[in-house]
Amino acid sequence: MTARPSDSDLLAPLDLAFWNIESREHPMHLGALGIFAATSPAAGRHAADLLAARAAGVPGLRMRIRDIWQPLDLRQASGFDLRRPLAFGGAAREAAPDFEPLDHVRLHAPAADFHAVAGALMQRPLERGRPPWEAHVVPGADGTSFAVLFKFHHALADGLRALALAAAVLDPMDMPAPRPRPAEPARGPLAGLVPDVTKLPGLVRGALSDVGRALDIGASVARATWDVRSCAALVSKPTGTRRVAGVAVELDEIHTIRKSVGGTVNDVLIAVVAGALRRWLDERGDSSEGVSPRALIPVSRRRPRTAHPQGNRLSGYLIRLPVDHPDPLARLATVRTAMNHNKDAGPNRGAGAVALLADHVPAIGHRLGMPVVGQAARLLFDILVTSVPLPSLGMTLGGCPLTEVYPLAPLARGQSLAVAVSTFRGRVHYGLVADAQAVPDLDLLAKSLTVEVAELNAACVV
């Protein structure tokens, strides 16, 4: 008989949403394409062997996700915590009894274009009956490099958790230790069965506050959909196909722009996306006139050095990308103003915080409603622009140094493009994921990112 899951095993609300929103045309896994300098022609094969051997010793990689259909737990039903998932219709993580690393680590034939291979692999959903992750090793055709594509289901890991899992199978390195969790007070035999009456006033206030915040977010989402003119290039019918591209720019160039006009590095990186979209639309024959797509900027709500909770803790900011503005400095100023406005309001308010609504939906609601919600993503935002933090430390696999790393975000239903950004070893890496049929010219957009950085630099000099 399968053991009943504990509170710590149950998927957090947002994890449960990601698990249930998935379809074959829109798999909900994130990825990272790392490129390593090969020290020998056999470096790729050796890397695959190392990944399989090390994966066996990483507990987080043994975890599969199991659907739950059982009565509500009395402690949960009486806990007055609206943010905890209810077990009925939920899902839980558990160690897979038949975990076999070789089922998750695959060595491919040599290739000249790592991004082309990654696109074909990103369109394949992960198998839901076993731990939802994969590592694909692709040797370079010239023998001087190899690539590793990591795929993690978003219900298993967010960007920070995926980084920790990937680092666990790379060569050992010194990483900051997670902060210990504070000790919990001893609980009596009836603890949890009856709410602590001394805490009831605060619990009631918290519940009312949660309801008020949910209503505020819902109203903001509704307002964000008013007067929406979707860009045809960012909208697509589900085809299940994927194309991947990546480009790296020097971080020093981004800092030069930031120091010249103010703001943050993230402001500059978002403005670069806006300018690149403008250039791309005009060059492919679509007009950028009047185009101002809504970009969702995810915001992590947990500290990078804190290992718990393991589930997704995300909110977000929603901004209009000034694609239709011809002046690169004016585009940057518009992004800065919008981001400052979002920061003043905080990540718990506004339409960008729509992910927080998952906390207010019972598990059975996720099971039944998420497939419908997934089809409505295009009504909430037009493009995802997310930043994935990476350590500045050098990373190696089998002694081969990691030279480039491109984060890859999942693609929402009805949308044709997602952008992820990471800074690593003095360079900014843009990872682009697109519907392959809707965006056959993704490489043109990648080149436009480089051109936009140069144009911003030139405008700052003038």
Side-chain angles (χ1 to χ4, degrees):
M1 180 176 179
T2 303
R4 190 171 184 174
S6 67
D7 289 348
S8 60
D9 298 328
L10 294 173
L11 293 192
L14 191 53
D15 297 340
L16 191 58
F18 287 139
W19 187 245
N20 286 300
I21 207 171
E22 181 174 62
S23 67
R24 288 201 62 83
E25 293 79 17
H26 285 87
M28 288 304 298
H29 54 252
L30 49 84
L33 179 65
I35 299 177
F36 297 80
T39 55
S40 73
R45 179 175 295 277
H46 180 52
D49 292 340
L50 283 176
L51 291 174
R54 293 170 178 173
V58 181
L61 296 179
R62 303 180 64 93
M63 305 303 289
R64 68 180 180 184
I65 296 175
R66 177 171 60 90
D67 292 332
I68 298 172
W69 292 98
Q70 64 183 53
L72 301 181
D73 187 300
L74 181 59
R75 286 189 308 174
Q76 292 185 37
S78 62
F80 286 89
D81 188 346
L82 299 180
R83 293 165 295 183
R84 296 171 67 188
L86 300 179
F88 184 76
R93 297 183 184 88
E94 66 177 9
D98 54 350
F99 175 64
E100 175 51 67
L102 291 177
D103 291 337
H104 299 263
V105 179
R106 298 163 191 173
L107 178 66
H108 295 263
D113 187 343
F114 295 139
H115 288 95
V117 176
L121 294 173
M122 283 294 289
Q123 71 187 32
R124 301 179 187 175
L126 294 165
E127 293 191 30
R128 293 170 70 92
R130 62 189 188 189
W133 69 274
E134 292 175 350
H136 298 269
V137 181
V138 185
D142 59 2
T144 64
S145 63
F146 66 89
V148 178
L149 173 67
F150 287 103
K151 294 168 56 178
F152 296 97
H153 198 287
H154 221 325
L156 178 70
D158 61 4
L160 291 174
R161 176 70 173 159
L163 171 62
L165 291 173
V169 291
L170 298 181
D171 294 344
M173 62 179 181
D174 295 329
M175 291 287 288
R179 296 176 181 174
R181 300 180 74 180
E184 296 184 359
R187 297 165 63 91
L190 298 180
L193 293 178
V194 179
D196 185 346
V197 294
T198 64
K199 297 181 179 179
L200 281 177
L203 291 170
V204 172
R205 285 196 301 271
L208 291 176
S209 177
D210 284 348
V211 171
R213 183 161 62 247
L215 292 174
D216 177 72
I217 294 170
S220 296
V221 169
R223 288 194 297 269
T225 62
W226 296 345
D227 191 29
V228 171
R229 176 178 181 258
S230 297
C231 173
L234 299 179
V235 177
S236 67
K237 295 180 179 179
T239 69
T241 61
R242 293 293 181 269
R243 189 180 303 274
V244 166
V247 65
V249 298
E250 297 299 324
L251 181 58
D252 283 346
E253 295 185 58
I254 303 299
H255 279 304
T256 298
I257 298 168
R258 179 191 61 80
K259 292 175 182 178
S260 176
V261 300
T264 68
V265 166
N266 200 42
D267 294 341
V268 178
L269 298 179
I270 296 171
V272 167
V273 173
L277 286 173
R278 175 184 175 82
R279 186 178 305 276
W280 173 64
L281 289 173
D282 289 340
E283 291 190 13
R284 77 196 310 252
D286 296 325
S287 174
S288 61
E289 183 178 356
V291 174
S292 183
R294 298 157 299 167
L296 180 64
I297 316 294
V299 178
S300 176
R301 296 168 57 228
R302 64 183 177 94
R303 298 176 181 177
R305 293 184 63 187
T306 302
H308 302 280
Q310 295 182 358
N312 283 277
R313 301 286 294 170
L314 294 173
S315 180
Y317 297 143
L318 193 69
I319 71 170
R320 291 274 186 172
L321 294 181
V323 172
D324 56 345
H325 205 294
D327 182 5
L329 292 181
R331 288 195 295 268
L332 177 52
T334 300
V335 168
R336 283 182 57 196
T337 300
M339 289 298 289
N340 287 339
H341 175 77
N342 277 306
K343 292 171 187 175
D344 289 341
N348 295 330
R349 296 285 180 181
V354 65
L356 298 181
L357 294 180
D359 292 346
H360 304 275
V361 178
I364 189 64
H366 285 287
R367 175 68 63 87
L368 300 177
M370 282 304 110
V372 177
V373 172
Q375 299 185 41
R378 187 173 60 82
L379 300 177
L380 304 177
F381 62 97
D382 303 301
I383 184 173
L384 177 74
V385 182
T386 183
S387 178
V388 182
L390 292 177
S392 59
L393 303 173
M395 291 184 276
T396 61
L397 178 57
C400 301
L402 177 63
T403 59
E404 303 171 56
V405 58
Y406 298 94
L408 305 173
L411 196 62
R413 177 178 290 273
Q415 297 175 353
S416 60
L417 179 66
V419 181
V421 193
S422 282
T423 300
F424 178 69
R425 307 291 283 178
R427 306 185 82 191
V428 176
H429 294 83
Y430 282 93
L432 310 177
V433 176
D435 183 287
Q437 294 187 24
V439 188
D441 56 347
L442 188 61
D443 288 340
L444 176 60
L445 177 58
K447 293 176 182 177
S448 297
L449 290 165
T450 303
V451 175
E452 181 63 17
V453 172
E455 185 172 330
L456 268 171
N457 263 302
C460 290
V461 172
V462 173

